[in-house]
Amino acid sequence: PPRSTLFPYTTLFRSPSLLLLATLHFANPVHAADNAIISWREWSPQVFSEAKKSGKHIILNVEAVWCHWCHVMDQKTYANPAVAAAIAKNYIAIKVDHDANPEIAARYRAWGWPATIFFNSDGVEIVKRAGYIPSESMTALLSAIVRDPSPERVVDAISITNPRSSLTADDKARLIAMHKSSFDANYGSLAIAMKFIDPDSVEYALLSGMRGDNDELARANKTLTAALKLEDPEWFGFYQYSTHGDWDHPHYEKIMRTQTRHIRLYAQAYAATQNQAYKTAAENTLIYLYRFLKAPNGGYYTSQDADLIQGQKSTDYFALKDKQRLALGIPRVDEHRYTKENASLISALTRLYSATNNIAIKTEALAIGEWLLANRQRKDGGFNHGNSDNNSHADSKLFLADNISAVAALTDLYEISADRKWLKQAIATADIIRENIFSSELVGLAAASIDKSDPLAPYVDLEENILAARVLNTLHHYSGRAIDKTLADKAMAYLTNSAVIASRYTEAGILLANAELNRDPLHLVIVGPKSDTNAAALFSAALANYQSYRRIEWWDRSEGELINHDVEYPELAKSAAFVCNDQRCSTPIYTAKEIPEVIALIEGIKANR
């Protein structure tokens, strides 16, 4: 399809060629047969109990279904009879799809895909390996562990004493220095061999740049422009990353997490800079999602494979044009629909709608929200990861990643719709996190509800706690509830620890969270009937602001006071907007074009219009 022409999105599947693609998509996946030599088990406490009774060790294979080297390892290593025999004799084998279990994904994220973790019969980690392991190396490793099952290395857990809810001056300065030194001046992004958009680094640079730091703005633009090389020129959507230290060696998987990050960041950057290339990138990514990952009965699928034929590199395939690709088939799509991925898409779409005022995008975001409530919300108000009828161990738990992403999405839906239904749902989900995931024994929020039968100690993930601190703090300003700020501070207490900071290469997300938890958000309120076209125009102008830390509401007096009615606004003859900051509010704003100028004046920043 031509670039940026398939709008409104609701008409997308009316094209006969796209209907043909949908048929191929569901009826003709091309993938290798599942390996059946090894009797893989699901992750569960029962497996560890069996290992303890039998004296066998455990091998955990953490894979991603879209990952090329995971396919190769299945086909070459685990299909090897010698490897299979060695595992059957001395090990219990567990395989976990990292997209299906957010807690395991968070715990072993640093080991990539595939990750191979060995445990002794007591459930103690003894060896960890990252990436592809050839069959010869695997048989040698399996034998060596049987001979000597002692831990290969013991890494002391990070000790957190005297937790605090804000950074010290020294740690803040250290994080800023890390952020600056980690930038690749030649290629953009982080100065590492793998090229991708690190979302918090780019957002921090963009926001700093719009506050007058031209060097940071240049860094943000360099990364965002360079990353456009990861866009599929035929089907759109973004490949996950490139190797070799440049942007020219992509790995071709397209996973939802990558798509939502690009939509959100390019939409935010467009709102800040009015660079049309950023708007086009965000919109075209949505075209890809509609074409390949949108489920016919609601929600979105998780990923599309890197390989047309699993285990065989597809560089030549992705160099083809649309019709040539379709003639060969399309890479397998993982048709699971997980809460985290769908909630993250909602948040990305709300940002894109804010920047473009395209009503079709708002409609889609709201539709996904309704689907989540109907299909992923539990009776107690929390959100399952996958199908609510799935009785696997992974879905018997509440994951922080799902529920904090849901809080963010529900709050964002309230922001763009002014429908209090969504804010009430966000508040209820925050209560579920407090009741089921919060533990007074931990600093930070655990990756999942704590189950004492689990063989491993609760895990606290930095990325998830950054999101939790920011989302719950924003919710606090919308809800007016001190308990939401207390929960945000709980997450922040983990992020501000010097030992945690020292363990990172860079972590601009901590800087973003620290700034937000220590000041009020930009507060914009439109006062006027929702039937009034001028009030609607003011609301759209308020949403168009690029800032991520904001509180935007539309108060129609006929609906009663706002949930957090902390400011009294005058009764005026016509609709007006007010911009509030630092315990002061602007005079009434009657035209949409005034809003960015007033924000710039109050906040001391560049106007975005």
Side-chain angles (χ1 to χ4, degrees):
R3 189 174 290 262
S4 288
T5 59
L6 297 177
F7 295 91
Y9 303 118
T10 50
T11 66
L12 189 58
F13 274 93
R14 294 178 188 171
S15 164
S17 64
L18 296 186
L19 287 171
L20 172 62
L21 174 64
T23 303
L24 286 169
H25 176 104
F26 292 109
N28 189 32
V30 181
H31 60 277
D34 293 336
N35 178 280
I37 295 180
I38 296 172
S39 297
W40 294 104
R41 306 278 297 275
E42 289 189 356
W43 177 275
S44 74
Q46 289 72 30
V47 174
F48 283 81
S49 297
E50 289 177 29
K52 191 172 183 66
K53 291 177 182 177
S54 66
K56 287 188 173 184
H57 305 307
I58 288 174
I59 177 173
L60 168 64
N61 169 224
V62 184
E63 66 170 5
V65 297
W66 39 259
C67 158
H68 168 77
W69 286 107
C70 300
H71 304 327
V72 175
M73 196 156 168
D74 269 346
Q75 295 167 1
K76 303 294 185 183
T77 302
Y78 292 125
N80 183 287
V83 171
I87 290 176
K89 181 178 180 181
N90 294 300
Y91 295 85
I92 297 176
I94 302 175
K95 183 184 282 287
V96 172
D97 170 11
H98 113 298
D99 289 327
N101 190 321
E103 182 182 24
I104 296 298
R107 190 183 293 270
Y108 297 115
R109 183 181 293 123
W111 297 90
W113 313 280
T116 308
I117 317 297
F118 293 91
F119 303 85
N120 65 22
S121 57
D122 292 323
V124 176
E125 293 176 1
I126 50 180
V127 171
K128 299 178 187 177
R129 291 290 184 269
Y132 172 67
I133 304 173
S135 56
E136 297 83 1
S137 300
M138 178 63 84
T139 53
L141 183 57
L142 292 166
S143 298
I145 290 172
V146 171
R147 290 194 302 270
D148 180 8
S150 59
E152 189 172 50
R153 54 184 170 178
V154 178
V155 179
D156 293 333
I158 294 175
S159 177
I160 299 179
T161 57
N162 301 318
R164 53 184 176 266
S165 58
S166 61
L167 292 167
T168 66
D170 287 346
D171 281 337
K172 181 179 178 181
R174 181 191 300 184
L175 282 164
I176 292 173
M178 290 162 62
H179 166 73
K180 293 181 180 297
S181 65
S182 65
F183 179 73
D184 185 337
N186 293 320
Y187 290 97
S189 189
L190 303 181
I192 57 177
M194 188 180 291
K195 286 298 172 191
F196 58 93
I197 285 184
D198 179 59
D200 289 346
S201 295
V202 174
E203 184 178 359
Y204 179 82
L206 180 66
L207 295 177
S208 298
M210 297 307 293
R211 289 182 175 275
D213 189 329
N214 291 329
D215 289 339
E216 287 291 345
L217 185 58
R219 291 188 186 102
N221 281 319
K222 188 175 187 68
T223 298
L224 289 165
T225 300
L228 292 173
K229 281 193 166 187
L230 291 180
E231 185 182 45
D232 182 342
E234 273 308 294
W235 288 347
F236 307 134
F238 282 84
Y239 305 131
Q240 185 178 199
Y241 60 87
S242 175
T243 56
H244 295 70
D246 59 34
W247 299 93
D248 301 317
H249 298 83
H251 280 220
Y252 295 104
E253 62 269 4
K254 292 179 182 174
I255 58 179
M256 182 60 79
R257 181 178 67 249
T258 301
Q259 312 315 313
T260 59
R261 286 175 172 179
H262 282 77
I263 292 172
R264 181 178 65 81
L265 281 171
Y266 280 117
Q268 188 175 6
Y270 167 68
T273 67
Q274 296 300 285
N275 185 330
Q276 289 294 318
Y278 297 160
K279 176 175 180 282
T280 298
E283 291 176 338
N284 284 341
T285 306
L286 189 51
I287 290 175
Y288 164 74
L289 292 178
Y290 259 73
R291 190 178 183 189
F292 290 94
L293 298 189
K294 183 179 173 68
N297 58 343
Y300 282 75
Y301 300 137
T302 302
S303 63
Q304 188 171 34
D305 212 315
D307 304 336
L308 177 64
I309 300 174
Q310 292 187 346
Q312 298 182 21
K313 284 187 175 294
S314 295
T315 303
D316 292 341
Y317 174 83
F318 284 101
L320 299 174
K321 297 295 185 181
D322 176 64
K323 290 183 179 179
Q324 295 171 305
R325 292 185 189 181
L326 294 182
L328 297 175
I330 68 172
R332 174 181 177 272
V333 168
D334 178 358
E335 295 184 2
H336 289 95
R337 290 170 287 175
Y338 297 125
T339 292
K340 175 186 173 183
E341 282 73 13
N342 278 275
S344 297
L345 178 56
I346 289 171
S347 291
L349 293 182
T350 61
R351 180 61 63 170
L352 184 55
Y353 167 69
S354 294
T356 64
N357 199 31
N358 186 323
I359 192 64
I361 299 173
K362 175 183 177 181
T363 300
E364 185 66 10
L366 291 167
I368 303 169
E370 296 288 0
W371 180 84
L372 275 179
L373 294 180
N375 294 275
R376 293 294 178 265
Q377 192 175 44
R378 298 185 179 202
K379 292 179 180 179
D380 63 7
F383 285 85
N384 274 342
H385 183 56
N387 192 331
S388 299
D389 296 327
N390 185 344
N391 293 318
S392 70
H393 177 69
D395 224 24
S396 68
K397 306 183 81 171
L398 281 170
F399 295 110
L400 178 61
D402 291 317
N403 285 274
I404 199 61
S405 297
V407 174
L410 295 164
T411 305
D412 290 339
L413 288 174
Y414 170 65
E415 181 183 85
I416 66 164
S417 69
D419 184 343
R420 300 180 191 187
K421 158 189 169 177
W422 300 109
L423 181 54
K424 291 175 181 177
Q425 289 282 355
I427 290 169
T429 306
D431 288 339
I432 293 297
I433 294 173
R434 182 179 301 102
E435 294 162 8
N436 293 273
I437 297 177
F438 172 92
S439 171
S440 60
E441 298 175 2
L442 293 176
V443 176
L445 296 173
S449 51
I450 296 173
D451 181 351
K452 293 187 178 180
S453 70
D454 275 356
L456 304 183
Y459 183 75
V460 178
D461 181 66
L462 185 139
E463 183 179 309
E464 292 175 4
N465 276 263
I466 289 173
L467 180 63
R470 298 181 69 185
V471 168
L472 292 165
N473 177 63
T474 298
L475 180 65
H476 153 67
H477 290 285
Y478 277 111
S479 71
R481 304 192 314 166
I483 53 175
D484 295 326
K485 179 61 163 62
T486 299
L487 200 57
D489 288 341
K490 174 77 168 176
M492 196 68 197
Y494 180 78
L495 309 178
T496 57
N497 181 261
S498 297
V500 171
I501 293 167
S503 71
R504 309 301 294 177
Y505 173 62
T506 185
E507 204 56 70
I510 298 176
L511 291 169
L512 291 168
N514 186 70
E516 292 173 4
L517 267 71
N518 286 285
R519 67 179 178 90
D520 289 341
L522 176 67
H523 186 191
L524 301 99
V525 175
I526 285 72
V527 181
K530 290 183 177 175
S531 59
D532 180 40
T533 56
N534 188 56
L538 291 168
F539 189 55
S540 294
L543 290 173
N545 186 269
Y546 64 85
Q547 295 187 73
S548 48
Y549 187 43
R550 62 193 198 180
R551 174 185 167 195
I552 301 175
E553 295 182 279
W554 186 347
W555 182 32
D556 184 332
R557 293 180 187 273
S558 68
E559 296 178 344
E561 292 187 344
L562 296 170
I563 289 177
N564 180 18
H565 200 87
D566 55 346
V567 177
E568 289 298 335
Y569 300 97
E571 291 198 35
L572 302 170
K574 57 183 178 178
S575 297
F578 297 85
V579 180
C580 299
N581 186 45
D582 195 23
Q583 297 184 334
R584 59 186 178 135
C585 289
S586 68
T587 55
I589 302 168
Y590 295 111
T591 63
K593 68 178 182 179
E594 297 176 79
I595 287 181
E597 285 78 13
V598 173
I599 292 173
L601 179 65
I602 289 183
E603 289 275 293
I605 56 178
K606 296 179 182 179
N608 67 322
R609 282 288 188 274

